[in-house]
Amino acid sequence: AGQYSGKLRIPILAYAIVEAIIGILALIFHNSFVAITDGVYLSLLPGIDSALLAHLIKWTIAAMMIVPQSILLGMTFPLMTAGVIRRYPTNSGSSISLLYFTNSIGAAFGVLASGFWLIKHVGLPGTIMTAGLINILLALAVWIVIRIDPAPVTEPLADKPQTPNHSNRLLLLAAFITGMASFIYEIGWIRMLSLVLGSSTHAFELMLSAFIAGLAFGGLWIRKRIDIIQSPIRFAAYIQIIMGILALLTLPVYGMTFDWMSSLMKTVSRTDEGYRLLLLASHGIVFAVMLPATFCAGMTLPLFTHALLKTGYGEKSIGRIYAFNTAGAIMGVLFAVNIGLPYLGLKYLIGFGAALDIVLGIGLLAFAVSAGVVFRKQLLATSALSVIICVATLAFTSLAPSQLASGVFRYAQTHLPESKRIYFYRDGKTASISLYGKKDEELTVATNGKPDASIHYGSDGLHTSDEGTMMLAAALPFGFKPDAKVVANIGMGSGLTTHTLLALPQITRVDTIEIESAMVAASREFGDKVRRAHSDPRSKIHIEDAKTFFSVNRSRYDIIVSEPSNPWVSGTSSLFTEEFYRRIGNYLVDDGIFVQWLHLYESNIQLIASVLKALGNHFSDYAIYAYDFDFFIVARKTGNLGPIDADSIMSSALKDELVKVDVRAPDDLRYRFVASKRILEGFLRQPTIPANSDYFPYLDLNSHKAFFFERIVEEFKINHSPLPLLEMLAPESFNDSRELSAADYFLLDDWNAMAEISLAVLLQDNIDDAGKLSLEVKNRLSALITASSHCDRENYASLWLANWHAVGQILIANLSRHSAIMLWDTPAVRRCMAKASPDITRWMTFYQAVAERSPARMGALAEKLLQEQTGINKNLKTYLLTSAVLGRYLSGNTGTSLELWRKHGPQIFSSLQDAPFYLQVLVHMVADNASKTAVSPTP
């Protein structure tokens, strides 16, 4: 644009035309993008043998999709500026500065508007189309203004250099170098602040908007001064030096941000208001780091453009300076990511960028000396002072790994505890990886301060929750495809999942895909615990993003395990989308198994449901298994999963690994079953639950807020409901008698153990053998035994029922069917039933039907009790209603089941969403079945 704007009669009209074209391209972009990327991933890349060629094709096609718009966008500022300068030629510097400010501040607001509002409401396609409509409306507005108020036709600024040509070259070089330095800062600051704010997309948006806003305000400040500056080059020289020093001083300021974030995390409440305050304060932290240097950077482009115009270089000065500045920015990004971060680290990357600015400033001062506008003594003094400040700042500022790895955004701690030693720290291309702990106790690997995996090293036989998670991720799929031989694992973590997979001699290859090479290096520090991942010849580790790896690799796998980082981490949520699940199925054999890890902590039902809905749209069946507050979606590409073959797993070499995490018997696997596609699909059909998508990224937009709230979604484990709901809905997955091993991180085991002890107490009719039961349960069992001999008395009858409701529900739900039936053979129950009132008899007959898992009797008796018992509390009404709906549904009376909810549900709950999660799932399951059989369309 700079080359040709001088030949245009009305540059501002050309600007309007360019804006209109950009808008039109934006309107058609999404459909084109989807069609092209589908073709690339599904058709083109699978036919490429060379990984290098595949990367070249991917980058080339990406460029073809965005370079035309980028070129046009690059034309807008020079054309607009040229048009305005022709109207106001006497104040060219002020015009350039003002336009630079308005253009940049618009970009800053655009980042915030798109990230926090537009994408949420209209998705990525709608956001791009909105921008396109703005472009078109802007073009129309400019055209109307030109028609209404045509500017007098003025000649373009003269292109007659009045100074030696080397000054023009110096200004262009300066624009390039300052652009490079500025974007080195940006990459460095983004990584640094990710360690303070967390690596969420919203945190990145706050950083990007602050960076651009700093540039904008620098341009605004220089506006009223630029036209009266006698020597723009001298002024720019001092600005460059000051900018470099301010950038260096961000290092000690950065150290303080950990204290600020720590105080913030300890102070703000976990509420919507608290979250808004966190975002606002985080933006303030970002501004504190970025604003001083970016404020200076914002002056440079207007200054260099104005200086070049004053030499008589003509209108092409605008486009040339802008182009060289942008080219420098590109080089800054490439250098920072590929060389600076891996080889210099954060501290010296910022130092290198500062050195570029300071050396540039000294060079400009030297030129000013030769031009006679600066004294040599000033040059020497400024140079010496700058060097002293640089050396002192770098020497006395330390970015301690124990601080960088502290995870202050989660734990509110500014440093790791003194008891934890850093064994590994590296600033990788995509993330900063640390490994810390005690080698004889526990080691943890973290990404940008967020722990990803931990392993226990003590000789006490204990283990971390992460170990169980990683081992079960490897073991579970073999319960559905025991003959699997070729496996892929997405995400290296500690390497324990890969290590566990390779315990099976039948495995011929495990491809581990990890995007960050520093993570692979860190995992080696776990030593023998993950030995096979690094030394077994069947293990192949690939440094690549998962989507590209699978499309280029051309392999089909028996099992694919996906263990990425938490979905609130920027970029990670793309491995939980419909588009990813649709494509990943192409890399599985026909009966292949896909395992998706997800967590119940720092989440909510809607986020989990959005992932399940996305996955369920592209896999014919899935089952969910839990370990502590992690869970696994085990999905089959085609056909039904059927029940897990736990016996096969526990008779294989995997047993030797699983016993280390207290999984010793087949039932230890079976009873981790949480739900299935058949059970959840009715609930997931709700239109209010969006399927997570690349283009409507529900998970990415909302998971950071859920992370902040720190809530654990315990209700998702419907196997912990007060009824044997799962056993009745999926009887094929359970045994009539269960044998669970004592285990940490297995809540069901705690409830089962409590139920077994309670049953033993009642069988022995002696509270002295209550063991480790809580005081409340002991008291209730004691009251049951005491009241059992006097059930014919009103006071004792009410005491009996109150305690039975509290204890009986826990026992029936958490004992096996065989053990639950034994409750009616206990002395306390027999004594009471011998003289029980009709009321107690009705209740106990109902509970016996639940214990026997008898749907018809349970449903009928619960329905009758619902009608007769008017004075009972909400919990009992809920229990009866759930039993009635479940019993009638499993008896084949779907219509009656749904009518029971419609009749009694509104009397107990304000809406279905107010009901416990397990009841919501049940009602939606019934309604879904009813709609399929045309009984009734909706709950």
Side-chain angles (χ1 to χ4, degrees):
Q3 186 70 23
Y4 294 101
S5 65
K7 301 174 183 179
L8 298 172
R9 183 170 174 268
I10 309 176
I12 201 77
L13 181 59
Y15 162 75
I17 294 170
V18 168
E19 287 283 5
I21 297 171
I22 294 170
I24 293 168
L25 290 175
L27 294 181
I28 65 172
F29 179 79
H30 178 69
N31 290 336
S32 304
F33 175 82
V34 171
I36 292 170
T37 52
D38 280 352
V40 169
Y41 278 109
L42 300 178
S43 302
L44 182 57
L45 291 183
I48 304 299
D49 290 323
S50 165
L52 178 62
L53 179 59
H55 276 288
L56 182 61
I57 289 173
K58 191 171 77 163
W59 279 92
T60 301
I61 292 175
M64 288 169 61
M65 285 191 284
I66 66 170
V67 163
Q69 299 93 306
S70 300
I71 291 172
L72 291 167
L73 285 164
M75 295 169 66
T76 57
F77 184 78
L79 289 172
M80 174 173 55
T81 305
V84 171
I85 287 177
R86 287 198 198 177
R87 286 176 175 244
Y88 310 102
T90 58
N91 297 306
S92 61
S94 175
S95 298
I96 294 168
S97 300
L98 181 61
L99 290 171
Y100 186 69
F101 163 73
T102 54
N103 192 256
S104 298
I105 203 67
F109 279 111
V111 170
L112 297 176
S114 61
F116 287 92
W117 193 79
L118 273 173
I119 296 174
K120 177 180 178 180
H121 292 285
V122 295
L124 288 171
T127 299
I128 294 173
M129 291 181 71
T130 300
L133 290 172
I134 291 172
N135 287 129
I136 292 170
L137 290 173
L138 176 59
L140 183 61
V142 171
W143 180 78
I144 291 172
V145 167
I146 294 171
R147 297 282 293 178
I148 294 174
D149 181 24
V153 178
T154 58
E155 294 297 322
L157 298 181
D159 185 6
K160 298 175 181 178
Q162 298 168 3
T163 59
N165 203 32
H166 56 262
S167 72
N168 301 336
R169 292 172 180 165
L170 176 64
L171 289 168
L172 293 174
L173 178 63
F176 178 89
I177 293 174
T178 192
M180 182 176 179
S182 296
F183 276 77
I184 285 174
Y185 300 149
E186 183 184 25
I187 296 298
W189 287 335
I190 285 173
R191 177 66 60 81
M192 288 161 62
L193 288 165
S194 292
L195 302 175
V196 177
L197 307 184
S199 303
S200 70
T201 299
H202 283 332
F204 173 74
E205 290 156 358
L206 295 177
M207 297 178 215
L208 184 58
S209 65
F211 183 88
I212 300 171
L215 299 178
F217 289 123
L220 181 65
W221 184 87
I222 199 71
R223 178 201 169 198
K224 292 185 178 180
R225 298 162 178 84
I226 193 168
D227 287 311
I228 58 175
I229 294 172
Q230 293 183 349
S231 174
I233 290 182
R234 179 182 62 187
F235 191 90
Y238 284 117
I239 290 297
Q240 291 295 149
I241 293 169
I242 293 170
M243 176 164 53
I245 293 171
L246 289 173
L248 264 182
L249 292 177
T250 62
L251 295 174
V253 172
Y254 174 63
M256 293 186 282
T257 63
F258 285 84
D259 296 306
W260 301 341
M261 179 54 72
S262 175
S263 298
L264 184 62
M265 293 303 293
K266 291 175 182 176
T267 304
V268 294
S269 60
R270 297 304 191 263
T271 61
D272 288 333
E273 292 74 17
Y275 183 67
R276 285 191 286 269
L277 178 60
L278 173 73
L279 293 176
L280 187 62
S282 296
H283 214 188
I285 290 172
V286 174
F287 269 112
V289 172
M290 292 187 178
L291 184 60
T294 55
F295 187 87
C296 294
M299 303 181 203
T300 57
L301 188 139
L303 268 174
F304 291 142
T305 306
H306 179 60
L308 197 58
L309 280 171
K310 288 189 69 174
T311 67
Y313 201 66
E315 279 183 11
K316 63 183 179 182
S317 304
I318 306 163
R320 286 288 174 87
I321 291 290
Y322 193 47
F324 273 76
N325 188 254
T326 304
I330 294 168
M331 288 303 299
V333 171
L334 292 174
F335 172 83
V337 171
N338 295 288
I339 299 174
L341 282 171
Y343 297 104
L344 298 179
L346 286 169
K347 175 180 172 180
Y348 291 104
L349 175 63
I350 298 297
F352 181 80
L356 284 177
D357 271 333
I358 291 170
V359 169
L360 172 60
I362 291 171
L364 291 173
L365 270 185
F367 180 82
V369 168
S370 67
V373 294
V374 172
F375 294 112
R376 187 173 297 276
K377 289 183 179 179
Q378 290 176 283
L379 171 63
L380 294 174
T382 303
S383 301
L385 182 61
S386 299
V387 171
I388 291 170
I389 293 173
C390 286
V391 172
T393 303
L394 290 172
F396 293 102
T397 302
S398 173
L399 299 184
S402 66
Q403 185 178 44
L404 300 177
S406 65
V408 63
F409 52 86
R410 171 180 262 173
Y411 304 113
Q413 59 184 13
T414 59
H415 291 78
L416 291 172
E418 291 183 5
S419 60
K420 293 184 178 180
R421 175 184 165 191
I422 295 282
Y423 291 95
F424 179 96
Y425 182 89
R426 185 179 299 173
D427 295 311
K429 289 184 179 183
T430 66
S432 295
I433 307 298
S434 55
L435 185 124
Y436 55 81
K438 287 186 177 181
K439 280 211 169 177
D440 58 344
E441 292 183 10
E442 184 178 309
L443 288 181
T444 299
V445 65
T447 303
N448 289 344
K450 186 201 73 64
D452 273 335
S454 60
I455 294 180
H456 185 74
Y457 281 82
S459 57
D460 47 16
L462 299 177
H463 59 89
T464 67
S465 137
D466 287 343
E467 288 176 75
T469 298
M470 292 180 283
M471 287 186 179
L472 278 182
L476 282 170
F478 289 94
F480 300 94
K481 189 168 176 56
D483 60 341
K485 294 181 180 180
V486 183
V487 183
N489 179 35
I490 302 171
M492 185 77 189
S494 67
L496 186 56
T497 299
T498 298
H499 175 82
T500 305
L501 286 164
L502 291 164
L504 287 169
Q506 73 193 54
I507 296 297
T508 59
R509 187 174 87 246
V510 176
D511 287 324
T512 303
I513 305 99
E514 171 58 53
I515 198 168
E516 178 51 64
S517 61
M519 178 64 81
V520 177
S523 74
R524 295 181 188 277
E525 299 295 321
F526 286 103
D528 284 344
K529 291 278 189 175
V530 299
R531 172 180 43 83
R532 287 188 290 264
H534 296 282
S535 61
D536 194 306
R538 297 171 296 164
S539 175
K540 310 295 180 185
I541 299 173
H542 309 268
I543 307 302
E544 184 58 273
D545 74 273
K547 292 180 179 179
T548 299
F549 171 80
F550 285 111
S551 62
V552 172
N553 192 45
R554 296 197 299 174
S555 291
R556 298 184 78 199
Y557 295 89
D558 299 310
I559 293 170
I560 296 177
V561 179
S562 181
E563 289 183 288
S565 192
N566 301 60
W568 61 262
V569 175
S570 180
T572 303
S573 65
S574 67
L575 296 177
F576 296 87
T577 63
E578 272 207 278
E579 292 75 17
F580 175 72
Y581 294 135
R582 175 166 58 88
R583 288 173 182 159
I584 203 70
N586 295 318
Y587 313 120
L588 284 167
V589 297
D590 289 341
D591 62 343
I593 299 296
F594 176 72
V595 179
Q596 175 69 73
W597 165 85
L598 198 54
H599 54 83
L600 297 174
Y601 57 89
E602 300 165 348
S603 188
N604 59 51
I605 288 293
Q606 289 72 32
L607 294 178
I608 294 168
S610 73
V611 174
L612 290 170
K613 194 167 188 175
L615 185 145
N617 287 340
H618 301 284
F619 286 85
S620 64
D621 196 13
Y622 63 75
I624 302 172
Y625 290 79
Y627 187 88
D628 195 22
F629 295 113
D630 295 287
F631 69 94
F632 313 93
I633 311 165
V634 184
R636 187 183 293 281
K637 180 182 174 183
T638 58
N640 294 323
L641 269 176
I644 187 170
D645 185 357
D647 295 299
S648 176
I649 294 176
M650 298 311 294
S651 62
S652 72
L654 288 171
K655 181 177 181 179
D656 294 336
E657 303 297 323
L658 292 174
V659 294
K660 299 173 185 176
V661 291
D662 298 327
V663 177
R664 300 184 179 89
D667 279 350
D668 294 337
L669 292 170
R670 291 190 188 98
Y671 281 84
R672 295 178 187 277
F673 176 71
V674 172
S676 65
K677 183 176 184 180
R678 180 178 63 86
I679 291 171
L680 292 175
E681 62 182 348
F683 176 81
L684 296 175
R685 287 190 204 279
Q686 297 178 83
T688 55
I689 298 176
N692 188 46
S693 165
D694 284 339
Y695 310 121
F696 293 86
Y698 183 80
L699 192 63
D700 187 58
L701 289 170
N702 296 284
S703 55
H704 181 256
K705 187 175 182 179
F707 158 75
F708 170 75
F709 281 173
E710 298 181 333
R711 182 170 172 265
I712 297 174
V713 195
E714 293 189 67
E715 66 269 25
F716 184 76
K717 295 184 178 181
I718 54 179
N719 55 348
H720 297 162
S721 67
L723 280 156
L725 193 68
L726 281 183
E727 288 184 61
M728 297 185 72
L729 288 174
E732 69 280 358
S733 298
F734 299 92
N735 290 333
D736 275 354
S737 57
R738 67 181 70 164
E739 297 179 9
L740 296 178
S741 307
D744 292 327
Y745 312 113
F746 191 14
L747 188 58
L748 185 61
D749 176 66
D750 296 338
W751 287 95
N752 181 73
M754 180 179 66
E756 292 285 356
I757 294 170
S758 299
L759 175 61
V761 167
L762 291 174
L763 284 170
Q764 297 169 24
D765 209 28
N766 188 350
I767 197 65
D768 294 337
D769 295 325
K772 297 180 180 180
L773 293 177
S774 67
L775 181 61
E776 180 186 355
V777 175
K778 287 181 183 178
N779 289 338
R780 290 193 178 279
L781 289 172
S782 178
L784 278 177
I785 293 172
T786 301
S788 63
S789 299
H790 310 285
C791 278
D792 54 338
R793 301 186 196 175
E794 185 175 344
N795 290 341
Y796 281 98
S798 59
L799 179 66
W800 166 271
L801 267 180
N803 286 285
W804 175 262
H805 289 318
V807 175
Q809 292 179 15
I810 296 174
L811 297 184
I812 291 171
N814 293 284
L815 290 171
S816 66
R817 176 180 178 275
H818 174 76
S819 295
I821 293 172
M822 290 173 62
L823 284 168
W824 274 258
D825 290 328
T826 59
V829 173
R830 286 204 308 268
R831 283 196 299 268
C832 184
M833 292 303 293
K835 56 181 71 175
S837 66
D839 193 34
I840 289 179
T841 301
R842 282 193 295 272
W843 277 107
M844 293 304 290
T845 304
F846 157 67
Y847 279 118
Q848 190 170 24
V850 179
E852 293 172 352
R853 282 58 163 165
S854 173
R857 290 182 62 230
M858 180 178 82
L861 292 168
E863 184 178 353
K864 190 173 182 182
L865 282 169
L866 266 177
Q867 295 169 349
E868 294 176 351
Q869 302 286 330
T870 56
I872 58 177
N873 62 38
K874 183 176 180 179
N875 286 338
L876 273 178
K877 288 180 180 177
T878 302
Y879 190 84
L880 287 174
L881 178 57
T882 307
S883 301
V885 172
L886 177 63
R888 291 301 194 187
Y889 171 65
L890 292 178
S891 301
N893 300 314
T894 304
T896 304
S897 177
L898 204 53
E899 286 304 319
L900 281 167
W901 163 255
R902 289 174 174 160
K903 179 180 178 181
H904 297 283
Q907 299 173 19
I908 306 173
F909 309 104
S910 58
S911 67
L912 180 56
Q913 286 69 37
D914 185 43
F917 178 67
Y918 62 83
L919 181 53
Q920 293 184 47
V921 169
L922 176 60
V923 172
H924 280 289
M925 188 179 183
V926 173
D928 190 50
N929 184 268
S931 65
K932 291 175 182 176
T933 56
V935 174
S936 181
T938 56

